[in-house]
Amino acid sequence: MAETDWIAVDWGSSQLRAWAMGADGSVLQWVSAERGMLTLAPDQFEPALLELIERWLPAAGVVTVIACGMVGARQGWREAPYCQVPCAPLSARQFVMIPSHSEQLKVYLLPGLSQELPADVMRGEETQIAGVLERQPEFNGIVCLPGTHCKWVRVNQGKVTGFQTFMTGELFALLAEHSVLKHGMNDPQADTLSSSLPEFLSAMRSAFEQPGQLSAALFSLRAQGLLQGMTADEARARLSGLLIGAELAASQMFRADEPVIIVGDSGVAELYAEALQSLGITPQRLNADAVTLAGLKAARSLLGI
Amino acid sequence: MAETDWIAVDWGSSQLRAWAMGADGSVLQWVSAERGMLTLAPDQFEPALLELIERWLPAAGVVTVIACGMVGARQGWREAPYCQVPCAPLSARQFVMIPSHSEQLKVYLLPGLSQELPADVMRGEETQIAGVLERQPEFNGIVCLPGTHCKWVRVNQGKVTGFQTFMTGELFALLAEHSVLKHGMNDPQADTLSSSLPEFLSAMRSAFEQPGQLSAALFSLRAQGLLQGMTADEARARLSGLLIGAELAASQMFRADEPVIIVGDSGVAELYAEALQSLGITPQRLNADAVTLAGLKAARSLLGI
């Protein structure tokens, strides 16, 4: 293996992922572990990281580590205070260098972004936005980042000018696994949505048209299971459709008519793309890992090392 | 103790409550236990009931038991098929008599109500509606029954003509206890809302005006905790306000301008009353236990025994 030039890290709530980067910008190796921020006390971050990357370290000399995500939250390794929008997604003078015990590591945490009104925050997605801009420096428009907390981010002339977070993914998981609706659902891990796309789109459109009726429409899923024998696959597709439809209605003003990029290639990103398409919007799609890595590379360039 | 004439039972998902009734309609004794429908297999219902009421049974002779609630669900003691609205809240010919092992019991289950479009169901609340009508036979208007699944029920000339269920209570519990919002909340059991009424009402009004923004407004609670130091009491009051405000907006068309009765005297019923009042609607309040018992008495009269 060629010598590790620096190490890129995406450290979220539940997962830690690291890439050993070559001097030519190529990925030499990568690794991931279930050592997310939520599982670690402040003094456990460095050992958890070292355990994963020790074999990549050269015999001598210091290696730069650049990490984004929840690792920089108040409950993380150390707090990297938010940058307030409007601002560039990454600003080198806001990066936080952490004193590490190992003399071989020089660790930088990337801060998240905050918005005062309406109050909102992100950690990790700012790096993906930087990656999007690395790929498409001229992009002006909306970046949609589906996930547990889906973000809609407005980008203008290289800056993030505003964003809006929806709890759609978390609501889906809570409702499908822990609410009365679970009785009519199948395993929310199983990917059966492709066969239920018409049901997804019909529920999506109904919630898009009447987003304020969401909490009544949710209970109706239960009643349709009891009264009309709605199948578990259909119930799951409709639940997803209702939540995403309400989100698309609520983000409509924010989106205006600007071009949309969806970051992600998971099943849920696919659903956002299908939903937007059925509303007459054709989003561009970018791979999530690719933009994360591009963003971490952009951070390294900003450091000028 | 005077002799038990019959036994009234309210048997929900999590609780079993029974009243020993005298021949003059008075309550001789009552008892409750955490033996709800969800904790019992079909053959465990009769033993669970007997354990509670055995001491009320006379030395000889048969005692009528009238039970409402989830005990009549498909997963309950035995299914009491729904009556479809529009219909009276209780119809004696739809009551289901259950063959019991004990020769001393004659058990009737009261069926719930269903609505075809939009699909909806209730079990237990129909008995409370019958109780409301027992108290106020001339009432035409809307009955609001707050709880895990809040029901808004339209009553006209003694019949239920339509209803709408909201998952507000369940959403509150899931979000306050299991979502990312729990980090900024205090114990949702603690009754601190009285001190946070202004925050509750301000969030309620904002969601009432923009119900479609609910899922973005929810995440903003988390961000306000992180950025603006919102207290846990305030976060909890605002969460409750957002959910109830969205419900009041969504039920607005259904309510029209009809008079509203709120069934319940719990903290959450109090919040619905405060919210309606701040929107210019003065609801009447009725005690939940009193209308349940009045409904069970009405069922007994309908049986003509």
Side-chain angles (χ1 to χ4, degrees):
Chain A
M1 166 172 162
E3 192 159 287
T4 302
D5 187 46
W6 65 288
I7 294 171
V9 175
D10 176 19
W11 206 329
S13 300
S14 51
Q15 262 213 336
L16 161 58
R17 299 189 304 160
W19 294 266
M21 305 298 295
D24 61 354
S26 64
V27 174
L28 304 176
Q29 287 199 17
W30 71 276
V31 69
S32 79
E34 307 290 313
R35 306 297 303 273
M37 174 274 254
L38 292 176
T39 70
L40 300 168
D43 61 354
Q44 297 175 315
F45 283 84
E46 186 174 339
L49 180 65
L50 269 176
E51 194 186 320
L52 232 63
I53 66 169
E54 210 149 30
R55 61 203 165 98
W56 297 342
L57 299 180
V62 175
V63 171
T64 297
V65 174
I66 300 179
C68 70
M70 293 300 283
V71 63
R74 206 169 295 168
Q75 300 81 12
W77 190 343
R78 175 169 286 217
E79 186 172 7
Y82 296 108
C83 303
Q84 192 172 316
V85 298
C87 63
L90 297 176
S91 319
R93 64 197 165 80
Q94 309 267 12
F95 296 176
V96 172
M97 208 188 80
I98 311 187
S100 58
H101 296 286
S102 159
E103 288 172 1
Q104 284 212 274
L105 298 184
K106 189 167 185 180
V107 180
Y108 293 91
L109 300 189
L110 307 185
L113 303 183
S114 66
Q115 175 176 275
E116 204 174 323
L117 208 71
D120 213 331
V121 291
M122 66 167 75
R123 274 201 191 275
E125 293 89 353
E126 76 295 328
T127 303
Q128 295 188 303
I129 302 290
V132 168
L133 286 170
E134 193 71 11
R135 294 292 183 85
Q136 303 184 24
E138 306 300 322
F139 179 75
N140 291 321
I142 304 295
V143 183
C144 168
L145 305 111
T148 307
H149 301 146
C150 181
K151 311 270 180 192
W152 293 82
V153 184
R154 177 175 291 116
V155 173
N156 192 263
Q157 305 199 330
K159 289 189 171 177
V160 173
T161 57
F163 60 101
Q164 202 173 21
T165 304
F166 293 86
M167 291 183 62
T168 305
E170 185 161 21
L171 280 172
F172 180 83
L174 286 173
L175 289 166
E177 291 164 41
H178 299 288
S179 83
V180 69
L181 300 183
K182 73 179 174 193
H183 302 298
M185 300 272 153
N186 58 7
D187 175 8
Q189 302 309 317
D191 183 14
T192 52
L193 277 180
S194 49
S195 62
S196 310
L197 191 59
E199 287 81 6
F200 166 79
L201 288 174
S202 120
M204 188 283 297
R205 188 167 285 275
S206 118
F208 181 77
E209 282 159 11
Q210 296 204 299
Q213 292 293 333
L214 184 62
S215 126
L218 291 176
F219 189 78
S220 197
L221 288 181
R222 174 69 181 143
Q224 285 170 66
L226 289 168
L227 301 177
Q228 294 152 15
M230 185 165 63
T231 67
D233 282 359
E234 184 177 342
R236 193 172 155 258
R238 286 194 178 274
L239 173 60
S240 180
L242 289 175
L243 293 170
I244 291 179
E247 175 178 338
L248 292 180
S251 58
Q252 198 174 11
M253 292 259 293
F254 183 83
R255 279 199 310 275
D257 283 327
E258 300 185 66
V260 174
I261 291 178
I262 295 180
V263 170
D265 23 32
S266 62
V268 65
E270 186 67 44
L271 290 178
Y272 278 82
E274 291 281 359
L276 283 172
Q277 214 124 27
S278 90
L279 297 173
I281 298 159
T282 302
Q284 210 191 127
R285 305 278 300 274
L286 291 177
N287 175 280
D289 285 357
V291 298
T292 302
L293 205 51
L296 288 163
K297 283 188 196 179
R300 182 166 180 270
S301 304
L302 286 172
L303 277 174
I305 49 175
Chain B
M1 167 172 162
E3 191 159 288
T4 301
D5 188 47
W6 64 289
I7 294 171
V9 175
D10 177 20
W11 206 329
S13 299
S14 50
Q15 263 214 335
L16 161 58
R17 299 189 304 160
W19 293 265
M21 306 297 296
D24 61 353
S26 65
V27 174
L28 304 177
Q29 287 200 16
W30 71 277
V31 70
S32 79
E34 306 290 313
R35 306 299 301 273
M37 173 273 250
L38 291 175
T39 70
L40 299 169
D43 60 355
Q44 297 176 315
F45 282 84
E46 185 174 338
L49 180 64
L50 269 176
E51 194 187 318
L52 232 62
I53 65 168
E54 209 150 30
R55 60 204 167 97
W56 297 342
L57 299 181
V62 175
V63 171
T64 298
V65 174
I66 300 180
C68 69
M70 293 301 284
V71 63
R74 205 171 295 167
Q75 300 82 12
W77 190 342
R78 175 169 286 218
E79 186 173 7
Y82 295 107
C83 303
Q84 193 171 315
V85 298
C87 62
L90 298 176
S91 317
R93 63 196 165 81
Q94 309 266 12
F95 296 176
V96 171
M97 207 189 81
I98 311 186
S100 59
H101 296 287
S102 159
E103 287 173 0
Q104 284 210 272
L105 299 183
K106 189 168 185 179
V107 180
Y108 293 90
L109 300 188
L110 307 186
L113 303 184
S114 67
Q115 175 176 275
E116 204 173 326
L117 208 71
D120 212 332
V121 291
M122 67 167 73
R123 272 198 193 279
E125 292 89 352
E126 76 295 328
T127 303
Q128 295 188 304
I129 301 290
V132 168
L133 286 170
E134 193 70 11
R135 295 291 184 87
Q136 303 185 23
E138 306 300 322
F139 179 75
N140 291 320
I142 304 295
V143 183
C144 168
L145 305 111
T148 308
H149 300 146
C150 182
K151 312 268 178 192
W152 294 82
V153 183
R154 178 176 289 115
V155 172
N156 192 264
Q157 304 200 329
K159 289 189 171 176
V160 173
T161 57
F163 60 103
Q164 202 174 21
T165 304
F166 294 86
M167 290 183 62
T168 304
E170 185 161 20
L171 280 172
F172 180 83
L174 288 173
L175 289 166
E177 291 163 40
H178 299 288
S179 84
V180 69
L181 300 183
K182 74 180 173 193
H183 302 297
M185 300 272 153
N186 58 6
D187 176 7
Q189 302 309 318
D191 184 15
T192 53
L193 277 180
S194 49
S195 61
S196 310
L197 192 58
E199 288 80 7
F200 166 80
L201 288 174
S202 121
M204 187 283 297
R205 188 167 285 275
S206 119
F208 181 77
E209 281 158 13
Q210 296 204 301
Q213 291 292 333
L214 183 62
S215 124
L218 291 176
F219 188 78
S220 197
L221 288 181
R222 173 69 180 142
Q224 285 170 66
L226 289 168
L227 301 177
Q228 293 152 15
M230 185 167 61
T231 66
D233 281 358
E234 184 178 342
R236 192 171 155 257
R238 286 195 179 275
L239 173 60
S240 181
L242 290 175
L243 293 170
I244 290 179
E247 175 179 337
L248 292 180
S251 58
Q252 198 173 11
M253 293 258 293
F254 182 83
R255 278 198 312 274
D257 283 327
E258 299 184 68
V260 175
I261 291 177
I262 295 180
V263 170
D265 24 32
S266 63
V268 66
E270 186 67 43
L271 290 177
Y272 277 82
E274 291 281 358
L276 282 171
Q277 214 123 27
S278 90
L279 297 173
I281 299 159
T282 303
Q284 208 191 132
R285 304 277 300 274
L286 291 178
N287 175 280
D289 284 357
V291 299
T292 302
L293 204 50
L296 288 163
K297 284 188 196 178
R300 181 164 179 270
S301 303
L302 286 171
L303 277 174
I305 48 178

